[in-house]
């Protein structure tokens, strides 16, 4: 008799009740499909990264067949940092159970926040090679940002985010209209010339903050970046960029430029924050490159790179 496949699920136990219900439903559906489910709750920042590294480093016979992360893009990013740091061979496949505020990675791969769809994708174990970026050595899956968005993330009221979700980011962005000094960032892509920008997003995926398009040509399965330069500074231009983002016209906006590359350096005010997938990854100056080893991400049925 064959042994039941095993899945370890890293999750944040303080997630809201509705999100916990999604996780419970997914677990029930996996159990009905014959999976042995092990839940690994986090207790502090860094636990998801540590758990992922420990699981991936296990010998093949001792580790589960699949690792999954139940949480938002920040928690998923934390686990991916642990995954790419682990020496385990063959590579550990990883799936996601979106339970965050924006769930941008789920949007990027077309995974609905639906228990049946999530359980079906995990059970099928169809994987895609995904190249992740690194900002000063810290991995990110979707994007790294410097400028306005990084300051919004750095100063975000976490308690407010738990209460009102995405609206907390809107409030944070409005506050930056009056706080942000709009310095100039110096950007170099590969071995090209230095370019000036008011803000920068180094994108691996197309979407930002949900399903808002910032980089139409970005591909998770390619070892390249789409470097998005906001060239015009000031509160009025910030509002214009935000409106274009909401309307889906940002890639065509005046003063917005997208360039491709594999390595990006950014300089600006000392210790300015760098955000990655909605978490602060470090401070300027930044060196952003593609991680040497890709990850193997479980994809939903119908995914096309």
């Amino acid at each position: 008799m064959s042994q039941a496949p095993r899945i370890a699920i890293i999750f944040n136990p303080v997630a809201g009740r509705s999100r916990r219900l999604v996780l419970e439903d997914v677990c029930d559906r996996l159990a009905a499909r014959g999976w042995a489910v092990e839940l690994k709750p986090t207790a502090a920042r860094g636990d998801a990264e540590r758990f992922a590294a420990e699981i991936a480093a296990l010998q093949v016979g001792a580790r589960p067949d699949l690792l999954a992360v139940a949480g938002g893009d920040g928690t998923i990013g934390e686990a991916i940092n642990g995954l790419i740091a682990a020496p385990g061979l063959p590579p550990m496949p990883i799936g996601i159970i979106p339970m965050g505020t924006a769930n941008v990675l789920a949007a990027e791969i077309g995974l609905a926040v639906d228990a049946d769809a999530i359980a079906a994708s995990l059970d099928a174990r169809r994987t895609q090679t995904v190249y992740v970026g690194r900002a000063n050595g810290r991995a990110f899956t979707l994007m790294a940002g410097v400028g306005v968005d990084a300051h919004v993330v750095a100063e975000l009221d976490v308690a407010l985010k738990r209460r009102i979700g995405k609206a907390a980011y809107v409030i944070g962005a409005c506050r930056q209209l009056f706080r942000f000094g709009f310095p100039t960032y110096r950007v170099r892509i590969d071995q090209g010339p230095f370019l000036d920008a008011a803000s920068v997003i180094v994108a691996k995926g197309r979407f930002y903050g949900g399903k808002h398009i910032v980089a139409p040509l970005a591909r998770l399965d390619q070892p390249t970046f789409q470097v998005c330069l906001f060239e015009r500074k000031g509160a009025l231009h910030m509002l214009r960029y935000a409106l274009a983002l909401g309307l889906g016209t940002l890639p065509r906006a005046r003063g917005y430029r997208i360039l491709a590359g594999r390595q990006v350096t950014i300089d600006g005010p000392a210790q300015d924050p760098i955000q990655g997938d909605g978490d602060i990854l470090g401070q300027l100056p930044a060196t952003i490159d593609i991680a040497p080893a890709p990850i193997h991400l479980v994809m939903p049925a119908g995914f096309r790179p």
Side-chain angles (χ1 to χ4, degrees), residues 67-80:
L67 171 65
V69 186
D73 294 309
T75 303
I76 294 166
E78 191 178 307
I80 287 171

Side-chain angles (χ1 to χ4, degrees), residues 135-173:
N136 292 355
R138 292 292 297 172
F140 62 91
T141 310
L142 298 160
M143 77 195 75
V146 169
V148 174
D149 74 326
H151 281 264
V152 170
V153 172
E155 300 178 28
L156 185 69
D157 185 330
V158 177
L160 184 65
K161 177 187 172 184
R162 289 198 184 105
R163 292 200 304 273
I164 65 174
K166 288 184 185 179
Y169 289 98
V170 176
I171 292 171

Side-chain angles (χ1 to χ4, degrees), residues 36-271:
V37 179
E38 178 188 8
L39 292 175
K40 297 187 72 66
T42 61
R45 187 177 181 85
D47 280 355
E49 181 172 351
R50 177 170 58 84
F51 290 161
E54 290 172 351
I55 291 168
L58 292 172
Q59 295 296 318
V60 172
R63 70 184 186 181
D65 300 281
L66 181 61
L67 171 65
V69 186
D73 294 309
T75 303
I76 294 166
E78 191 178 307
I80 287 171
N81 269 280
L83 198 63
I84 66 172
L89 291 173
M92 183 82 200
I94 183 169
I96 65 171
I97 301 172
M99 290 171 52
T101 302
N103 298 313
V104 184
L105 181 56
E108 192 72 36
I109 66 176
L111 178 62
V113 185
D114 172 83
D116 190 54
I118 296 166
S121 70
L122 295 173
D123 182 43
R125 284 185 273 178
R126 289 180 294 267
T127 62
Q128 173 70 48
T129 298
V130 168
Y131 293 89
V132 300
R134 297 184 302 182
N136 292 355
R138 292 292 297 172
F140 62 91
T141 310
L142 298 160
M143 77 195 75
V146 169
V148 174
D149 74 326
H151 281 264
V152 170
V153 172
E155 300 178 28
L156 185 69
D157 185 330
V158 177
L160 184 65
K161 177 187 172 184
R162 289 198 184 105
R163 292 200 304 273
I164 65 174
K166 288 184 185 179
Y169 289 98
V170 176
I171 292 171
C174 291
R175 287 173 178 165
Q176 290 302 323
L177 286 173
F178 305 99
R179 295 182 184 177
F180 192 58
F182 295 100
T184 296
Y185 298 94
R186 298 279 285 162
V187 185
R188 191 179 193 193
I189 303 168
D190 296 334
Q191 299 303 311
F194 285 94
L195 306 170
D196 290 344
S199 283
V200 187
I201 293 174
V202 180
K204 277 297 287 122
R206 297 166 295 162
F207 295 136
Y208 180 97
K211 291 188 176 182
H212 303 297
I213 295 177
V214 294
L217 299 181
R219 295 266 299 267
L220 294 178
D221 67 325
Q222 296 297 316
T224 58
F225 298 115
Q226 294 287 298
V227 185
C228 308
L229 305 177
F230 297 79
E231 297 178 320
R232 301 183 182 183
K233 62 175 64 177
L236 289 179
H237 287 300
M238 178 179 164
L239 286 171
R240 184 172 61 82
Y241 287 133
L243 179 61
L245 178 67
L247 293 174
T249 60
L250 180 61
R252 304 190 300 276
R254 294 189 310 276
Y256 183 76
R257 189 178 179 192
I258 306 175
L259 300 170
R262 293 175 61 96
Q263 184 172 52
V264 185
T265 58
I266 307 174
D267 204 357
Q271 299 183 331

